[in-house]
Amino acid sequence: MIDVNEFKQDVQRFLKIDYAVNLDIAKTYQKYNAISKAVMIRIIDNWNKTCEVYSKNKQSHYFSAEFLMGRALGNNLMNLGIYEDIKKALDDMNIDINDVEEIEEDAGIGNGGLGRLAACSMDSAATKNLPVTGYGIRYSYGLFKQSFKDGFQVESADNWLKYGDPWSIRCDEDIVTVDFSDYSVKAVPYDTPIIGYGTKNINKLRLFKAEPINEFDFNAFNNQKYKKSVEEKNNADNISRVLYPNDSTDTGKILRLRQQYFFTCAALKDIIKKFKKYHGSDFKLFSKYNAIQLNDTHPVSAIPEFIRILTNEEGIDFEDAWNVTVNTFSYTNHTIMREALEEWDTKLYKNLLPEVYSIIKKIDSRLIKKLQSAQYGYDKINSMRIIYNGKIKMAYLAIYGSHNTNGVAEIHTSILKNRELKDWNELYSKRFLNITNGIAPRRWIVLCNRELSSFITELLKSDSWITNLPLLKNLEKYADDEQVLNRFLNIKRIKKVQLSQYIKIHENIDINPDSIFDIQAKRLHEYKRQLLNAFAILDLYYRIKENPEINIVPRTFIFGAKAAPGYVRAKAIIKYINEIAKLINNDSSINGKIKVVFIQNYGVSYGEKLFPAADISEQISTAGKEASGTGNMKLMLNGSPTIGTYDGANVEIAQEAGMENNFIFGARFEELEKIKKSYDSKEYYNTVPGLKRVVNTLIDGTFDDDDTGIFEDLYNSLLESTKTDKADNYFVLKDFEDYRNTQCRVNKAYKDRMSWARKCWINIANSGKFSSDRSIKEYADEIWHIHPHKW
Ligand code: 26Q
């Protein structure tokens, strides 16, 4: 399939041409680039051919401000089915493929779940031969790099392109211009191939970089106005300079709006150009050939922008443009957190994008008319208006301007339909649907857990489960087979040893591979309740101190999380956990019974090491707050039971694998809704044994926050209500006792090795639903109405 000798020669040629070195002295990053290019050169023809085939039929375009792709090399080799061949070829050249894989920077241009969902969706679309193109921004800097200094988070720039990017191709011939009220910029597309697994098809991720129309003002420079001479360049560069490291609150408003409009406008121009090229200029046919998916509200300006182009530039009347728009667009909602629902200040919007704003006004008027004719009252109309009280409600614009709105897990969709977007659901009940998230099995088991994957293939006597994950159900018949379970436990141990070695290198901490690996890895947010985990650990520590004979299996608590740089409380929680870690890890009197590790710079690649090694998956958000979660799925697929609340996709995980094989605890959403007005966190603080002791460590000097006051603020947030927030908004104190009891159940259950392995095994066998192959097919069938195309 691949001519290994030619491949080797190509690697050496690229080393020469790009770096003027021979293999024997080449640096690892140089080898990585040369190898990647030698792969690229082999896929170009198939890539072009795929584009050509797709362009004749209906296609979908996935608009997302984030694509959290992670590393490409290993995944691409695997998807092409040449991993082993290339590994061998590199061996011959004295190159260790692992070293080369590890040198690659993560393409970390996303914050968390939403960005990674976009990446998994891309993988699945390509694998399923679906004509889907991703559109986004080629940020020069991804999400910040995180390190800890004295336990505090320190951020630094993520210069992921410092050695170049062998996986993207700049397409100058497709440059378009994007106009703002004050200046215009060029949007330069960079295309990255999305290589499907087991198919010749290669899809595309098109990311735009902003560049100035004029690189440099010669006259200004000549007149010694040096700053001015590069002003235009700086303005343009700023647009695609950096991903906002913020998934909770809104900052840097104008620049963020520029980013959003920049890529959606460029993408629309690109799509329209191709539509005209292949299908003529009858825009009534547009939605017959194009679907556009809006990944959350970040790209929603595309709706008015599309209407603007159709009405102002293509001479189509507003109503016709409106109908085409609704038939083309659809919108995925990823949150019910109020503060994350995007609103734009009308003044700001109008100043930057006057024409687009006037289209939004027209849309708002159209909505008012519609609601009036449906006999809606004044107040209700106001509550649903797109422009109201000086704000533009992007979620409402998205729902009104598209034919489908989907939530990302059953419980999330039902909360949207019955509460947050109730009025909209009443108006457009047929538009709402659920598509439970999924993850790409290629990256999240085949690539990151080769040992377990081979074992599964051996048992199922076929590897077709890799593209048909529900086939894992056939593993269930081994659930009582001790030999199989023992092999599973051996593999888990191998992955735990590997992680221990990695953690030793990267964090300089020794951990015991025979302890329970208890893992919570996700963005840091109060609603995700890392603090609940922390309190339970500290409580356990105090109980061990009181009773050194306590019968517990040694446990290593592993955290991975980045906090938004401006999110003071999230950063306080990181510092607090690091303080707890310091206390516990330095106390030799507990004989290594427990250990706490907060790994630095959690991201896709770290996740690939963590998930296969986990014994227990922490998914402990306040019920109703986590839209879905996808880390929960990655852990399930790698055989860890969930300790979790009845929230997001946990609900479906428990449904699929059985409550008895997971550890579900805590208040349900309905209960919290009922009690939230009268909830008194102090009652729990005062009465739950041991709770006061741990909460008080925030203020009694047990831990040092360097006199910043951040621990006291955390303490107050749990016990004192303010004008805006109720005390213990996220019910940490309420769920503490049940969580602690459930952790005791985990401890007990783990001791019976076979029954524990059985739980893990049943989780694996029932994880088939959570493949993004399934979710992308649902988008294709139910929203986009596109079909697979092979050649
Ligand atoms: C908003 C305004 C200003 C700056 C940034 C933002 C912003 C950025 C990112 C708001 C939200 C996000 C990301 C949200 C996110 O990742 N949500 C997660 O989406 C996953 C995929 O559907 C779900 O599984 C998670 O439950 C959800 O939290």
Side-chain angles (χ1 to χ4, degrees):
M1 193 171 144
I2 185 164
D3 184 325
V4 176
N5 286 327
E6 260 180 38
F7 185 89
K8 290 183 198 166
Q9 279 171 15
D10 281 346
V11 171
Q12 303 190 39
R13 284 195 190 114
F14 284 123
L15 283 175
K16 278 214 170 99
I17 212 166
D18 286 341
Y19 304 108
V21 295
N22 280 320
L23 185 59
D24 52 343
I25 58 157
K27 299 266 188 299
T28 310
Y29 82 88
Q30 295 171 331
K31 292 178 198 161
Y32 156 74
N33 269 337
I35 294 163
S36 302
K37 284 192 172 179
V39 176
M40 269 296 249
I41 204 169
R42 282 165 174 72
I43 64 167
I44 298 295
D45 291 340
N46 285 357
W47 194 11
N48 288 334
K49 179 81 184 150
T50 310
C51 289
E52 192 189 310
V53 170
Y54 284 175
S55 57
K56 304 205 169 86
N57 299 288
K58 183 167 186 180
Q59 305 190 55
S60 172
H61 312 277
Y62 196 93
F63 284 19
S64 179
E66 307 187 5
F67 285 91
L68 198 40
M69 304 298 284
R71 289 177 176 148
L73 178 60
N75 198 69
N76 284 344
L77 293 176
M78 170 187 66
N79 280 9
L80 288 165
I82 57 173
Y83 190 96
E84 290 305 325
D85 289 347
I86 299 298
K87 180 173 156 38
K88 227 174 123 266
L90 297 181
D91 265 352
D92 296 343
M93 300 166 84
N94 244 330
I95 301 175
D96 182 339
I97 194 167
N98 292 322
D99 295 345
V100 177
E101 283 183 67
E102 284 292 319
I103 200 87
E104 181 176 355
E105 291 284 327
D106 270 33
I109 52 179
N111 273 290
L114 167 155
R116 184 55 225 174
L117 187 76
C120 285
S121 301
M122 288 292 112
D123 179 295
S124 285
T127 298
K128 296 203 82 73
N129 303 300
L130 288 164
V132 179
T133 301
Y135 280 100
I137 301 175
R138 189 175 197 256
Y139 302 98
S140 302
Y141 296 89
L143 187 63
F144 64 88
K145 290 212 157 145
Q146 177 201 51
S147 60
F148 297 142
K149 186 159 192 300
D150 301 328
F152 288 102
Q153 169 174 294
V154 177
E155 303 95 23
S156 57
D158 168 37
N159 188 5
W160 69 290
L161 293 168
K162 63 175 178 279
Y163 299 129
D165 174 18
W167 299 105
S168 65
I169 292 182
R170 180 185 167 103
C171 294
D172 278 274
E173 68 282 13
D174 284 341
I175 289 176
V176 292
T177 305
V178 175
D179 304 315
F180 301 99
S181 60
D182 45 0
Y183 54 85
S184 302
V185 297
K186 289 196 287 194
V188 185
Y190 282 74
D191 291 351
T192 297
I194 306 293
I195 298 170
Y197 181 91
T199 171
K200 280 191 291 186
N201 273 9
I202 295 178
N203 286 11
K204 183 187 288 180
L205 173 62
R206 173 160 273 199
L207 301 178
F208 293 100
K209 177 172 188 270
E211 289 187 5
I213 309 277
N214 305 298
E215 273 287 317
F216 169 64
D217 182 339
F218 186 85
N219 289 323
F221 193 87
N222 213 24
N223 293 325
Q224 299 177 9
K225 293 181 177 151
Y226 303 122
K227 247 194 189 154
K228 176 136 195 356
S229 71
V230 290
E231 187 180 302
E232 188 182 337
K233 177 167 168 41
N234 287 340
N235 282 338
D237 286 350
N238 279 340
I239 293 179
S240 52
R241 193 181 304 281
V242 61
L243 168 84
Y244 275 91
N246 195 334
D247 65 356
S248 54
T249 44
D250 212 331
T251 46
K253 289 194 170 60
I254 295 178
L255 186 54
R256 183 158 168 92
L257 183 57
R258 266 192 218 279
Q259 291 187 327
Q260 296 186 348
Y261 178 71
F262 165 74
F263 89 89
T264 52
C265 169
L268 287 174
K269 288 191 172 173
D270 196 55
I271 295 165
I272 289 172
K273 189 168 112 188
K274 285 185 189 137
F275 170 69
K276 286 182 173 172
K277 179 170 167 197
Y278 288 98
H279 309 293
S281 48
D282 179 0
F283 276 89
K284 288 216 176 68
L285 296 178
F286 190 84
S287 62
K288 188 175 162 208
Y289 290 107
N290 295 285
I292 298 177
Q293 188 68 33
L294 304 171
N295 198 25
D296 216 287
T297 53
H298 318 148
V300 166
S301 288
I303 288 176
E305 169 63 8
F306 185 61
I307 297 176
R308 188 195 65 78
I309 297 174
L310 263 51
T311 55
N312 300 13
E313 292 175 14
E314 300 290 342
I316 294 168
D317 82 40
F318 184 85
E319 275 309 302
D320 287 343
W322 176 254
N323 289 328
V324 178
T325 305
V326 170
N327 290 332
T328 302
F329 284 90
S330 42
Y331 154 62
T332 305
N333 174 291
H334 296 268
T335 187
I336 59 152
M337 302 285 290
R338 277 274 151 78
E339 65 269 29
L341 284 179
E342 260 190 321
E343 295 181 344
W344 286 106
D345 197 79
T346 47
K347 268 204 203 119
L348 182 152
Y349 203 101
K350 189 178 168 189
N351 277 340
L352 191 69
L353 304 164
E355 276 189 57
V356 187
Y357 179 70
S358 78
I359 301 284
I360 300 179
K361 271 183 36 184
K362 283 193 187 155
I363 298 174
D364 187 45
S365 306
R366 192 184 188 282
L367 171 65
I368 294 171
K369 274 197 207 118
K370 179 175 170 71
L371 298 178
Q372 280 169 341
S373 69
Q375 311 295 318
Y376 279 43
Y378 180 78
D379 289 343
K380 190 149 176 187
I381 292 179
N382 280 343
S383 76
M384 293 176 77
R385 278 188 60 175
I386 292 164
I387 304 179
Y388 190 65
N389 255 345
K391 300 272 187 226
I392 310 171
K393 314 266 178 73
M394 300 310 272
Y396 297 172
L397 178 55
I399 300 166
Y400 187 45
S402 63
H403 59 284
N404 282 120
T405 291
N406 77 286
V408 291
E410 292 289 349
I411 183 177
H412 168 60
T413 303
S414 116
I415 294 172
L416 289 179
K417 284 166 70 164
N418 302 320
R419 286 183 43 96
E420 303 300 312
L421 301 172
K422 188 163 185 284
D423 293 340
W424 285 97
N425 184 47
E426 274 163 17
L427 187 64
Y428 289 124
S429 64
K430 289 208 181 96
R431 288 191 182 182
F432 285 82
L433 77 162
N434 176 62
I435 298 187
T436 297
N437 283 166
I439 56 166
R442 272 72 61 190
R443 183 174 295 265
W444 296 113
I445 181 164
V446 185
L447 182 68
C448 71
N449 199 343
R450 219 161 294 153
E451 296 85 346
L452 183 55
S453 300
S454 305
F455 185 40
I456 291 172
T457 298
E458 180 190 321
L459 290 173
L460 298 181
K461 300 187 180 64
S462 152
D463 62 4
S464 51
W465 61 275
I466 295 172
T467 49
N468 186 0
L469 207 62
L471 287 176
L472 293 181
K473 189 77 184 170
N474 293 322
L475 293 174
E476 220 168 44
K477 60 174 173 285
Y478 300 105
D480 296 304
D481 182 329
E482 291 213 356
Q483 233 177 345
V484 167
L485 296 182
N486 272 320
R487 277 191 64 190
F488 166 74
L489 290 176
N490 284 339
I491 290 169
K492 186 59 88 180
R493 178 118 200 324
I494 291 169
K495 300 313 281 184
K496 288 168 75 172
V497 170
Q498 288 171 3
L499 177 64
S500 309
Q501 290 164 348
Y502 191 83
I503 285 181
K504 177 67 188 165
I505 294 168
H506 289 265
E507 322 295 338
N508 195 22
I509 298 176
D510 291 298
I511 59 177
N512 168 12
D514 292 313
S515 62
I516 299 175
F517 281 15
D518 177 320
I519 299 191
Q520 186 171 20
K522 52 188 74 253
R523 283 301 291 270
L524 212 136
H525 209 292
E526 285 161 281
Y527 84 79
K528 294 180 189 281
R529 298 200 297 192
Q530 282 95 349
L531 191 56
L532 175 59
N533 192 349
F535 283 154
I537 295 168
L538 193 56
D539 174 73
L540 176 60
Y541 170 71
Y542 288 138
R543 285 188 293 127
I544 296 171
K545 296 288 280 182
E546 280 168 0
N547 173 15
E549 301 309 311
I550 195 170
N551 186 5
I552 61 155
V553 184
R555 213 190 275 216
T556 306
F557 296 95
I558 302 174
F559 291 87
K562 289 181 183 176
Y567 189 175
V568 176
R569 248 177 226 164
K571 291 174 111 172
I573 293 170
I574 291 181
K575 169 70 176 164
Y576 182 61
I577 294 171
N578 278 329
E579 286 294 303
I580 292 176
K582 194 162 75 182
L583 173 74
I584 294 179
N585 300 351
N586 289 322
D587 186 343
S588 53
S589 78
I590 59 166
N591 290 325
K593 279 209 171 71
I594 57 176
K595 198 144 198 178
V596 181
V597 182
F598 207 132
I599 61 108
Q600 301 172 82
N601 204 34
Y602 171 59
V604 173
S605 291
Y606 222 131
E608 289 168 23
K609 315 259 191 265
L610 292 170
F611 300 134
D615 290 308
I616 184 93
S617 158
E618 296 272 354
Q619 309 299 336
I620 59 177
S621 53
T622 311
K625 297 290 184 199
E626 189 69 271
S628 162
T630 45
N632 46 5
M633 301 169 186
K634 294 161 198 166
L635 284 148
M636 178 196 199
L637 179 58
N638 283 279
S640 17
T642 297
I643 179 167
T645 45
Y646 214 61
D647 196 18
N650 301 350
V651 174
E652 290 158 73
I653 287 176
Q655 256 159 26
E656 295 293 304
M659 289 290 240
E660 68 284 6
N661 296 305
N662 288 287
F663 299 86
I664 303 299
F665 73 96
R668 302 279 170 107
F669 171 68
E670 297 77 15
E671 184 193 348
L672 295 180
E673 282 302 288
K674 260 192 230 138
I675 64 142
K676 74 179 178 198
K677 283 218 172 79
S678 61
Y679 173 60
D680 178 8
S681 62
K682 288 209 175 87
E683 225 175 275
Y684 293 88
Y685 173 79
N686 286 318
T687 59
V688 175
L691 183 54
K692 189 181 273 182
R693 174 169 66 179
V694 290
V695 175
N696 280 0
T697 61
L698 287 165
I699 50 156
D700 65 9
T702 307
F703 298 122
D704 184 6
D705 66 4
D706 209 16
D707 293 331
T708 53
I710 53 175
F711 287 173
E712 190 180 348
D713 168 69
L714 271 184
Y715 176 87
N716 289 334
S717 78
L718 295 171
L719 293 165
E720 307 296 334
S721 293
T722 65
K723 270 189 212 129
T724 49
D725 288 317
K726 295 209 61 164
D728 194 17
N729 224 349
Y730 297 102
F731 303 99
V732 174
L733 305 194
K734 175 166 172 58
D735 276 347
F736 175 81
E737 191 167 25
D738 198 3
Y739 180 56
R740 178 173 57 191
N741 290 338
T742 308
Q743 283 288 22
C744 289
R745 282 205 285 134
V746 170
N747 178 62
K748 235 190 226 141
Y750 191 87
K751 288 182 192 163
D752 182 338
R753 300 307 291 133
M754 278 306 121
S755 111
W756 180 266
R758 187 176 192 280
K759 285 188 203 306
C760 301
W761 195 255
I762 291 182
N763 271 286
I764 297 172
N766 289 287
S767 60
K769 173 177 179 183
F770 304 106
S771 167
S772 47
D773 297 347
R774 188 261 318 146
S775 56
I776 206 74
K777 186 163 187 323
E778 290 178 9
Y779 281 95
D781 292 347
E782 293 167 39
I783 301 182
W784 305 331
H785 308 291
I786 58 167
H787 306 287
H789 293 286
K790 273 184 110 159
W791 46 277

